[in-house]
Amino acid sequence: MTPLSNLAVRDVETLIHPYTNLATMRESGPLVLERGKGIFVYDSNGKPYIEGMSGLWCTALGYGNEELVEAAAAQMRKLSFAHLFSAKSHDPAIELAERLKELAPVPTSKVFFCNSGSEANDTQIKLVWYMNNALGRPAKKKIISRLKAYHGVTVASASLTGLPANQRDFDLPIAGILHAGCPHHYRFAQAGESEDEFATRLAAELAQMIEREGPDTVAAFIAEPVMGAGGVIVPPQSYFEKVGQVCRRYDVYMIADEVICGFGRLGTTFGCQSLGFAPDSISVAKALTSGYVPMAAVTVPESMYQALLVESRKIGTFGHGFTYSGHPVAAAVALKALEIYARDRLVEAAAQKTPQFQARLHALGQHALVGEARGRGLIGALELVADKATKRSFDPKSGVAPGAVRFAEEEGLMVRFLVGDAVSVCPPLVITPAEIDELFDRLGRALDRTLDWVRRERLAEET
Ligand SMILES: Cc1ncc(COP(=O)(O)O)c(C=O)c1O
């Protein structure tokens, strides 16, 4: 084991890292990044990596974009902070809300700004509860999420998240949050069930869940168009249409969590448009500012806005909001990012690059380690398995997916391992065709090295 650098020692002694094994990282230390340009980031030794995950699914415009830098600097010089509390306002927030209303794939009356995807989804829950109180149906409060969903880590959004690590020993989920089945055909379809039959069954199970709980107690359903952190799970094409019919039948408010899929990731402006999902509201974040500064937003339909007005008349205020809701610097960066997406036709470009990206991804599905290659647009994952024929997973203790990610880093590629041994890719939308080839060449080499290691250490054997 090589001794840790001075910077690494300072890190280990001072930082708590999110989503990190805090015990093993005391020995391994951190990978310290220093700068970025285009789709590349560089570590503190100057080694370049293709950022194959857009950071955390967010830097759609890549690194070092001078237009975004300038938008932030100009806004900081002009008005570095202003809030929206107590009827105060400012130009960037107004303009961004207008722009999001135009872009939104759902009828939108107003926009509420937050700073993170978690806050956006927390806000969604609070708005639904608040609305149903205003509408005189105080029992209609339960929220249905899905197993393997990822909606954030605050107390309420972590409750929506359907992944064990986000709940275990955190005393979550809170009451009133339910989890429906995960639409992952490869893992959860019954023998011989087609994608469409699987979707029909999931919709029927959702209806049964609502009936069992009592339709008068179920308020909302939230879903990512393509599930991200749960393993990049693309639902059957008919899934959202069928699930949507169930929600409408029981007057269940539908929320699309567009935190990853929003702004072009699937080759459409919003992910719901790609999957026939017609929600009542969307949550956006990440690519809204290309990750340059934190910002998120929630869209509010007119019917909900009317309910909020009723409450304001009764209570005297709308008692929700963050210091940095609609932060002018974040709003200025978001406006610039949206301008660039439109000007450079990046959504169309993502759609054009999709066949090459998905072909290279799916070609790796032939690899001996890969049980399933899956994706849509410029996002994908490879699920690593110990036995392709039986879909048997590796023993989690063998650390095969984390090992593959380490080999990829050695090859100069940042990817992530997700639950279920999925290795994910989600590069900046500005990636070029030549860079897509280079990304998958590096990923292929990393998989070959992983396979050599798995065979050497006999990690695929049944224990
Ligand atoms: C779909 C989705 N929703 C919500 C979140 C939470 O966002 P944040 O980490 O900004 O709170 C994420 C984060 O990855 C996400 O992928």
Side-chain angles (χ1 to χ4, degrees):
M1 182 80 47
T2 43
L4 297 185
S5 69
N6 179 31
L7 202 55
V9 170
R10 282 165 51 207
D11 175 295
V12 169
E13 294 311 329
T14 50
L15 277 170
I16 303 254
H17 284 263
Y19 289 96
T20 298
N21 182 326
L22 299 177
T24 55
M25 98 151 266
R26 291 192 65 80
E27 270 103 61
S28 64
L31 171 56
V32 182
L33 295 182
E34 214 168 64
R35 65 195 173 88
K37 189 71 197 160
I39 66 156
F40 287 89
V41 288
Y42 298 79
D43 71 16
S44 49
N45 298 316
K47 176 177 169 176
Y49 303 80
I50 294 177
E51 208 350 320
M53 276 300 293
S54 303
L56 288 174
W57 333 83
C58 56
T59 57
L61 296 175
Y63 293 79
N65 183 305
E66 287 299 329
E67 288 184 280
L68 296 180
V69 173
E70 185 45 41
Q75 184 57 45
M76 280 188 188
R77 281 189 205 101
K78 191 171 168 195
L79 180 66
S80 51
F81 176 78
H83 61 80
L84 302 177
F85 284 37
S86 315
K88 302 282 191 305
S89 198
H90 53 81
D91 203 323
I94 298 167
E95 208 180 318
L96 182 59
E98 284 173 350
R99 189 79 190 98
L100 288 173
K101 271 184 69 169
E102 280 164 23
L103 277 178
V106 293
T108 297
S109 171
K110 305 289 176 286
V111 173
F112 184 84
F113 288 115
C114 320
N115 309 292
S116 69
S118 301
E119 286 179 5
N121 291 328
D122 252 47
T123 295
Q124 293 277 18
I125 295 178
K126 287 181 73 178
L127 288 179
V128 166
W129 288 347
Y130 202 69
M131 171 178 76
N132 281 347
N133 285 330
L135 294 177
R137 39 190 206 184
K140 199 168 172 71
K141 295 289 167 55
K142 291 174 193 163
I143 317 279
I144 301 182
S145 178
R146 299 172 305 163
L147 295 169
K148 294 207 169 197
Y150 191 82
H151 297 297
V153 294
T154 51
V155 170
S157 67
S159 299
L160 296 175
T161 291
L163 299 171
N166 296 105
Q167 300 184 339
R168 185 172 166 191
D169 289 350
F170 286 115
D171 291 5
L172 296 174
I174 55 172
I177 308 283
L178 309 165
H179 289 92
C182 170
H184 188 191
H185 186 267
Y186 175 76
R187 280 290 167 204
F188 302 118
Q190 290 169 357
E193 203 172 39
S194 70
E195 293 241 345
D196 189 57
E197 288 160 355
F198 177 50
T200 303
R201 177 165 62 82
L202 288 178
E205 286 171 6
L206 178 67
Q208 283 156 16
M209 175 182 263
I210 296 171
E211 287 286 354
R212 194 171 56 240
E213 296 291 328
D216 293 349
T217 72
V218 178
F221 170 79
I222 182 166
E224 303 152 83
V226 167
M227 293 171 125
V232 186
I233 294 163
V234 185
Q237 191 59 35
S238 60
Y239 169 79
F240 278 113
E241 189 199 318
K242 292 175 198 277
V243 158
Q245 280 167 8
V246 172
C247 289
R248 275 189 294 280
R249 191 185 322 145
Y250 295 107
D251 191 14
V252 169
Y253 187 83
M254 279 183 282
I255 301 160
D257 181 343
E258 294 273 357
V259 167
I260 288 180
C261 297
F263 310 108
R265 179 53 58 190
L266 306 188
T268 46
T269 304
F270 294 98
C272 59
Q273 295 162 321
S274 167
L275 285 153
F277 182 12
D280 296 291
S281 168
I282 61 171
S283 297
V284 292
K286 297 196 189 274
L288 174 59
T289 58
S290 189
Y292 277 52
V293 284
M295 180 170 244
V298 161
T299 65
V300 174
E302 178 63 21
S303 54
M304 174 178 275
Y305 177 62
Q306 287 303 324
L308 303 189
L309 282 180
V310 168
E311 290 293 291
S312 267
R313 289 193 188 102
K314 188 172 77 192
I315 301 170
T317 187
F318 173 58
H320 180 66
F322 305 98
T323 301
Y324 303 120
S325 283
H327 193 291
V329 177
V333 172
L335 279 165
K336 184 54 76 177
L338 298 184
E339 184 189 318
I340 296 171
Y341 296 140
R343 184 195 66 202
D344 297 350
R345 304 182 67 79
L346 288 179
V347 178
E348 294 85 343
Q352 274 159 14
K353 286 179 271 192
T354 290
Q356 179 203 2
F357 182 88
Q358 291 296 332
R360 291 293 316 252
L361 177 81
H362 280 83
L364 290 177
Q366 303 302 315
H367 195 276
L369 273 182
V370 178
E372 186 189 37
R374 52 182 182 256
R376 197 174 188 102
L378 297 186
I379 187 171
L382 303 171
E383 181 163 334
L384 308 188
V385 291
D387 186 330
K388 268 171 103 88
T390 63
K391 306 184 187 176
R392 179 169 55 83
S393 302
F394 284 102
D395 179 348
K397 286 202 281 299
S398 61
V400 171
V405 168
R406 276 196 306 277
F407 285 122
E409 283 173 8
E410 286 178 21
E411 294 291 333
L413 171 66
M414 295 281 183
V415 286
R416 264 187 92 197
F417 62 91
L418 307 170
V419 283
D421 279 343
V423 174
S424 57
V425 276
C426 178
L429 297 185
V430 292
I431 193 167
T432 65
E435 288 168 340
I436 290 176
D437 279 336
E438 184 57 35
L439 183 161
F440 283 106
D441 288 349
R442 293 183 189 193
L443 187 54
R445 288 198 294 274
L447 285 179
D448 289 344
R449 291 177 62 187
T450 310
L451 183 61
D452 287 347
W453 168 62
V454 163
R455 288 185 172 148
R456 220 169 35 243
E457 302 291 327
R458 299 168 175 266
L459 297 176
E461 286 178 13
E462 275 183 280
T463 46

